[in-house]
Amino acid sequence: DQQVKQNSPSLSVQEGRISILNCDYTNSMFDYFLWYKKYPAEGPTFLISISSIKDKNEDGRFTVFLNKSAKHLSLHIVPSQPGDSAVYFCAAWSNSGYALNFGKGTSLLVTP
Amino acid sequence: GAGVSQSPSNKVTEKGKDVELRCDPISGHTALYWYRQSLGQGLEFLIYFQGNSAPDKSGLPSDRFSAERTGGSVSTLTIQRTQQEDSAVYLCASSFRARGEKLFFGSGTQLSVL
């Protein structure tokens, strides 16, 4: 069963606007969350993370928000740039077990 | 090396043949993971190695899949009697510790079973 869900397979945003990518999870044992970015023919690269003790983490144009009660997190990219066009994966660690659990990804297209 | 290295980058094989995929993790990383990404799917966990401990094989989809890690470094994922549904990108990742931190991924091996 998919414990990390990214319900939007794709998103298109104009350059300069905000991109918001959403992620929901079902496992209450998840305590650390990460976003990865993937270009075609490359491996995923780490983007930003957040611990369950926080509700926001910011790094430059990227901000991740965590709502534990709703089991929901989101990635905001402001302003969006054409180079941000990629597939974004949400991932979560459980406080038990050794597998990083991934969603199916959201393909972001930033148009000029 | 500077990053996780995987070989080959592409592999085309015939149904029923065996294949071996190789992963060379970042030096000093004790944890090594194999994932696969089938078309339109997310990253599916296959197997995890931590140092010299017994691997966590809970994600392997069938007994045709096996993996080993020699000397706590290089890992090989073997798929026996390949099937068309094995076609996917196989990704290797490593990290300094067992869990709770970011994984560093290789570029993957694109496996196509004809």
Side-chain angles (χ1 to χ4, degrees), chain B residues 4 36 45 68 73 78 81-82 98 112:
Chain B
V4 177
R36 74 175 176 182
F45 167 75
E68 62 177 24
S73 182
T78 301
R81 305 180 302 281
T82 52
S112 300

Side-chain angles (χ1 to χ4, degrees), chain A residues 31-32 34 36 38 41-44 46 89 93-105, chain B residues 33 35 37 40-43 45 48 56 89 91 95 98-108:
Chain A
D31 63 353
Y32 192 67
L34 305 89
Y36 278 81
K38 185 181 185 300
E42 295 183 11
F46 170 76
F89 290 97
W93 283 110
S94 170
N95 58 17
S96 64
Y98 294 96
L100 182 58
N101 299 273
F102 284 85
K104 291 188 176 183
Chain B
Y33 301 77
Y35 283 82
Q37 185 182 16
Q41 300 298 312
L43 276 69
F45 167 75
Y48 153 77
D56 176 353
V89 176
L91 291 158
S95 67
R99 63 170 296 279
E101 61 176 49
K102 60 187 177 186
L103 304 187
F104 293 83
F105 283 86
S107 296

Side-chain angles (χ1 to χ4, degrees), chain B residues 67-113:
Chain B
E68 62 177 24
R69 187 179 185 191
T70 53
S73 182
V74 172
S75 177
T76 303
L77 177 68
T78 301
I79 309 173
Q80 295 179 310
R81 305 180 302 281
T82 52
Q83 304 294 314
Q84 288 184 332
E85 61 263 28
D86 300 334
S87 296
V89 176
Y90 288 81
L91 291 158
C92 177
S94 69
S95 67
F96 188 66
R97 295 181 309 176
R99 63 170 296 279
E101 61 176 49
K102 60 187 177 186
L103 304 187
F104 293 83
F105 283 86
S107 296
T109 294
Q110 173 72 64
L111 175 66
S112 300
V113 182

Side-chain angles (χ1 to χ4, degrees), chain A residues 70-90:
Chain A
K71 292 192 176 67
H72 177 83
L73 61 157
S74 61
L75 174 68
H76 293 209
I77 307 173
V78 183
S80 301
Q81 299 174 353
D84 296 330
S85 298
V87 177
Y88 289 79
F89 290 97
C90 175

Side-chain angles (χ1 to χ4, degrees), chain B residues 50-64:
Chain B
Q50 171 59 36
N52 295 318
S53 303
D56 176 353
K57 304 179 182 181
S58 59
L60 294 179
S62 78
D63 58 9
R64 296 186 295 104

